[in-house]
Amino acid sequence: MNESVLLDHLEAIRSDIQVLSKKVERLELGAVHGDRSPSIPSAGTKPDTAQSGGLGSGLLFNSDILSEASEWDEKGGFSSSPKVSSSSPTKNARTSKAMPGSPDWQAKSNALYPSRITLTTYPGQVGVDPVALNWGAKTPSERGPVIVSRAPTTLKKRNAIGAHGGSYSFYRALAVVIGDMPPNHRPDFRNTLPHIKIGPYDSWSEEKIVSLDPFGHIVAQAHGDLLKAGLDIRPSIAITKAHMQLPEIEHAVENGRIKVDGNWVVNRKGDLRVTKGAVEPVWWLPGVAKRFNVDEALLRRALFEDTGGSYPELITRPDLKVFLPPIGGISIYIFGPPEYLSDPSKHLTARVHDECNGSDVFGSDICTCRPYLIHGIEECVKSAQEGGAGLIVYFRKEGRALGEVTKYLVYNARKRAEGGDTADAYFARTENVAGVKDARFQALMPDVLHWLGISKIDRFISMSNMKYDAIVGSGIEIVNRVPIPEDMIPDDGRVEIEAKIAAGYFSGGKANEDLAQVKGRIWEDVSH
Ligand SMILES: Nc1nc2c(ncn2[C@@H]2O[C@H](COP(=O)(O)OP(=O)(O)OP(=O)(O)O)[C@@H](O)[C@H]2O)c(=O)[nH]1
Ligand SMILES: [Zn+2]
């Protein structure tokens, strides 16, 4: 987008704000307080001169909430949780008989959100003073924390757009509005840090990571001073350990395919000892734009438009380079010693899997997802038992990132098609419904592998050329690719697998069949 278009947008937003501001004033919404935010280090570009004033004239803060800053202790937790004043009507929101729009509800609204609405912010706006964020820096202090919260203590210090928790931020809003959670709740981070050390690796500072925060797992450790000063900063990555129980692994132990070693395979029930992690997306927009070879301003415009205009700061704050999009994250499962992942002298088996809830969880037989995932887990376990390590990376990209509704529309179109559900028409049916056959765009996928310090994968459990090309293109070596074993392909899943092989998926040398002759189950087979 060129500068004049951007200025036009800014002007339009400003005038909207003026109109709204007048309406708000007429409704006498919200008492305005002076800013008494705690002293917090910042990029130091602008003096903190926030004043009381109307909407659009600066950021406004409520001193009652600021006075409730709690203590941060050495173990990485608050010694006392911030409390909502006992007079807060939010506590009674659920039981209240107040009618929507009534004065009672106005009072509740004022208590929850004492400041006037800040629809958006602008660079250089009075009070806006983001904490410095140097993406790609080698240490957490040089890099600076990702700060996205709109809490009164933090709003003007934010250096990122969006919200923590991805799509779950909407449920958090519900919890607040019904009175189940104080709006100023802060997490108690005591004992929440990972049990293992991950990084820092050279890859963290080489623009190889643009879609997650490499320091997102040690926020409480690295930025205790800022937390103590009252900023609402949250981790975007958590690491823990667990035991896993899967019926297929239990059967593999029963029939001798997997041996109990007491360490990685704990018992005859096939319990697996794993380290697991959860990663929320954190996009560094210049890097994401570069990865997809598009202009950053255009990317911002597209993100703004296709999310119903949800994040105006994508347009009004070109100085904020980090965005936490409301999309699904990544789960990581590590088999064997986690430190082996970054050691190229150790054997590593890995599968990168995209969510297919129908198959992964509910056992639907129309595709190969769960069987291939299970095969990947089995191979990972064997690698750990043979002195190496295994890794499953599970992305929440349901239905090739088109969503489950689209996927099931496609299934209907496949099963009702004249001539039946054939492999030659497999991708066309998705494209007809969704407009694109695949929206996973694997370009960002290798980031998590670089975060784990991986430079070589010995056995890659996938046939996808898109996954392979993205990983190898990002500088990670793949030694061998492992197709799904023939006997694990469900009958109805054959349409998908043959279509994929014809589209360029790795088949291990298997010749393609006549695709029009590869047919799936027709609906008449199903009794209802
Ligand atoms: N839109 C759409 N998505 C599908 C269909 N069948 C499967 N999927 C989705 O396709 C994705 C398959 O991902 P993976 O299991 O990682 O497999 P892959 O990327 O095809 O390649 P492999 O690694 O070789 O298994 C999942 O997100 C499924 O939900 C379909 O007919 N339409
Ligand atoms: Zn599937």
Side-chain angles (χ1 to χ4, degrees), residues 129-450:
D129 190 14
V131 169
L133 185 65
N134 305 302
W135 197 266
K138 281 199 159 70
T139 64
S141 51
E142 284 172 283
R143 212 294 305 273
V146 170
I147 307 179
V148 75
S149 165
R150 285 174 61 100
T153 52
T154 310
L155 179 55
K156 64 183 180 176
K157 293 288 179 187
R158 282 155 71 244
N159 54 24
I161 304 164
H164 276 299
S167 54
Y168 297 107
S169 56
F170 294 88
Y171 290 102
R172 204 165 56 227
L174 282 179
V176 168
V177 81
I178 67 173
D180 272 6
M181 186 173 92
N184 57 347
H185 171 77
R186 297 295 174 81
D188 178 349
F189 290 125
R190 221 171 326 200
N191 296 325
T192 61
L193 287 166
H195 63 286
I196 53 166
K197 184 174 182 296
I198 296 185
Y201 300 111
D202 288 343
S203 49
W204 290 16
S205 55
E206 288 170 359
E207 288 199 16
K208 285 190 188 292
I209 299 177
V210 300
S211 61
L212 60 88
D213 175 4
F215 299 105
H217 58 313
I218 49 168
V219 164
Q221 180 188 335
H223 302 294
D225 52 339
L226 296 181
L227 288 162
K228 205 169 180 173
L231 283 188
D232 184 10
I233 313 177
R234 306 199 177 196
S236 55
I237 299 178
I239 307 284
T240 186
K241 49 183 166 179
H243 278 197
M244 250 169 90
Q245 297 180 327
L246 290 163
E248 290 93 336
I249 300 295
E250 188 177 356
H251 290 150
V253 171
E254 264 166 27
N255 66 28
R257 268 208 326 277
I258 290 184
K259 305 264 176 280
V260 175
D261 60 49
N263 193 16
W264 308 117
V265 182
V266 183
N267 52 32
R268 292 216 46 85
K269 284 180 70 62
D271 290 8
L272 305 175
R273 198 156 71 89
V274 295
T275 288
K276 63 180 182 178
V279 181
E280 282 174 12
V282 176
W283 287 9
W284 181 56
L285 292 169
V288 172
K290 198 166 161 191
R291 207 58 82 77
F292 289 106
N293 207 15
V294 296
D295 177 64
E296 184 196 332
L298 191 56
L299 171 68
R300 284 168 172 266
R301 176 74 190 265
L303 293 171
F304 174 71
E305 296 292 349
D306 264 289
T307 53
S310 298
Y311 302 96
E313 284 168 321
L314 286 166
I315 308 298
T316 66
R317 293 296 302 275
D319 62 316
L320 297 186
K321 298 293 185 189
V322 171
F323 177 47
L324 277 61
I327 58 174
I330 311 168
S331 299
I332 296 169
Y333 285 83
I334 301 171
F335 305 80
E339 63 274 18
Y340 283 11
L341 264 51
S342 58
D343 180 350
S345 74
K346 304 291 183 192
H347 187 277
L348 176 62
T349 294
R351 169 157 176 84
V352 174
H353 188 93
D354 294 314
E355 179 172 18
C356 176
N357 186 268
S359 169
D360 296 344
V361 179
F362 291 99
S364 155
D365 68 348
I366 195 170
C367 57
T368 55
C369 298
R370 181 173 171 103
Y372 213 178
L373 178 61
I374 296 290
H375 181 60
I377 293 171
E378 202 172 316
E379 292 297 307
C380 285
V381 172
K382 286 178 183 159
S383 181
Q385 290 187 320
E386 287 160 12
L391 171 72
I392 300 286
V393 181
Y394 189 95
F395 277 85
R396 298 287 140 57
K397 289 184 184 171
E398 177 58 63
R400 293 195 210 111
L402 299 167
E404 204 169 37
V405 169
T406 297
K407 184 162 97 171
Y408 290 178
L409 295 175
V410 172
Y411 285 170
N412 280 350
R414 281 172 58 186
K415 296 299 177 187
R416 285 184 176 133
E418 220 175 292
D421 177 20
T422 56
D424 59 336
Y426 174 82
F427 283 113
R429 304 250 188 266
T430 303
E431 206 164 343
N432 288 346
V433 175
V436 60
K437 68 179 177 193
D438 195 326
R440 285 175 291 174
F441 307 117
Q442 300 288 3
L444 301 176
M445 173 270 287
D447 289 23
V448 64
L449 306 177
H450 289 291

Side-chain angles (χ1 to χ4, degrees), residues 96-150:
S96 168
K97 294 194 176 70
M99 298 298 289
S102 72
D104 269 14
W105 280 103
Q106 194 59 68
K108 288 178 203 307
S109 173
N110 291 347
L112 264 183
Y113 304 107
S115 306
R116 293 178 182 183
I117 302 167
T118 303
L119 285 183
T120 193
T121 59
Y122 306 94
Q125 187 178 10
V126 174
V128 166
D129 190 14
V131 169
L133 185 65
N134 305 302
W135 197 266
K138 281 199 159 70
T139 64
S141 51
E142 284 172 283
R143 212 294 305 273
V146 170
I147 307 179
V148 75
S149 165
R150 285 174 61 100

Side-chain angles (χ1 to χ4, degrees), residues 48-99:
D48 179 0
T49 52
Q51 305 284 327
S52 298
L55 187 144
S57 67
L59 298 175
L60 309 171
F61 299 93
N62 179 268
S63 54
D64 298 337
I65 291 177
L66 294 185
S67 65
E68 290 165 3
S70 59
E71 286 298 304
W72 176 258
D73 72 20
E74 293 307 305
K75 283 187 184 162
F78 286 107
S79 56
S80 67
S81 294
K83 292 176 188 61
V84 177
S85 137
S86 56
S87 63
S88 167
T90 63
K91 288 208 155 170
N92 303 320
R94 276 235 269 208
T95 50
S96 168
K97 294 194 176 70
M99 298 298 289

